[in-house]
Amino acid sequence: MSDHCTAPDPPSPEITETVPPPEKAAEARAVAAAFVAALDPPPSPTTVQDLLLLVSELVTNAVRHAGSVSALAFGADEKALYVQVADPSPDRPQQRVPDMTGAAGGFGWPLVLRLARKVTVRNHTGPGKIILATMAR
C-alpha cells in the first residue's frame, strides 16, 4: 500500500463515474455491478465477483471505522478497474489481528490488499481520506 500524506489531490484521472455515497455495502455492490455491466468488453465473471467483494469491503470498512462513505466512484481502462472510496476519517487503514469470533473484524483490509493490484490512501479535501484501489481487468 502506498500512503501519500501530502496536500489533497484532485480526483484520480482513472475515475470516470461518481455516484451518490451509499449507506450500506449492498447499495455499493449494486452500483458496482451496474458499472461493470455497461463496460465493453465486459470483465470476466471472476473479475466482477472480485470487484463486488472489493467494493463491499471498502464500503464496510468506511462505515464501520469512519462512520460513513462520503464519496464512491468507479473507472476503467483497457487493463484495469478502479474503485475510489472517500470517508470522513483521517485515520489510515491498519492491519489488525483477525477476530475469529467475528465481533471485532480484522479481515477486510487484508482482503482489500489481496484483491487489488494497487491501493493508494491519500488526504481528502477537508477532513478524511480517499482510498483508490486498482485491480486487473
Side-chain angles (χ1 to χ4, degrees):
M1 170 183 81
S2 58
D3 189 353
H4 303 287
C5 295
T6 58
D9 294 325
S12 299
E14 304 90 0
I15 299 300
T16 58
E17 183 173 325
T18 303
V19 297
E23 293 182 17
K24 298 179 181 178
E27 296 169 18
R29 286 191 304 271
V31 173
F35 174 77
V36 294
L39 295 178
D40 186 25
S44 73
T46 300
T47 299
V48 172
Q49 289 175 345
D50 288 350
L51 175 69
L52 297 180
L53 183 54
L54 178 68
V55 168
S56 186
E57 290 301 327
L58 288 170
V59 168
T60 297
N61 285 351
V63 170
R64 183 176 202 164
H65 300 291
S68 67
V69 173
S70 51
L72 176 64
F74 298 95
D77 60 28
E78 302 81 34
K79 297 182 181 181
L81 300 174
Y82 306 94
V83 179
Q84 186 170 279
V85 176
D87 68 51
S89 173
D91 297 336
R92 300 307 203 235
Q94 297 179 7
Q95 294 274 21
R96 295 183 298 131
V97 175
D99 178 359
M100 300 310 279
T101 68
F107 296 95
W109 190 244
L111 189 53
V112 165
L113 296 176
R114 184 172 184 142
L115 290 168
R117 181 172 62 196
K118 179 180 177 185
V119 177
T120 303
V121 179
R122 66 177 194 239
N123 294 338
H124 191 311
T125 49
K129 67 183 164 296
I130 297 172
I131 299 175
L132 175 63
T134 304
M135 59 183 295
R137 186 167 174 166

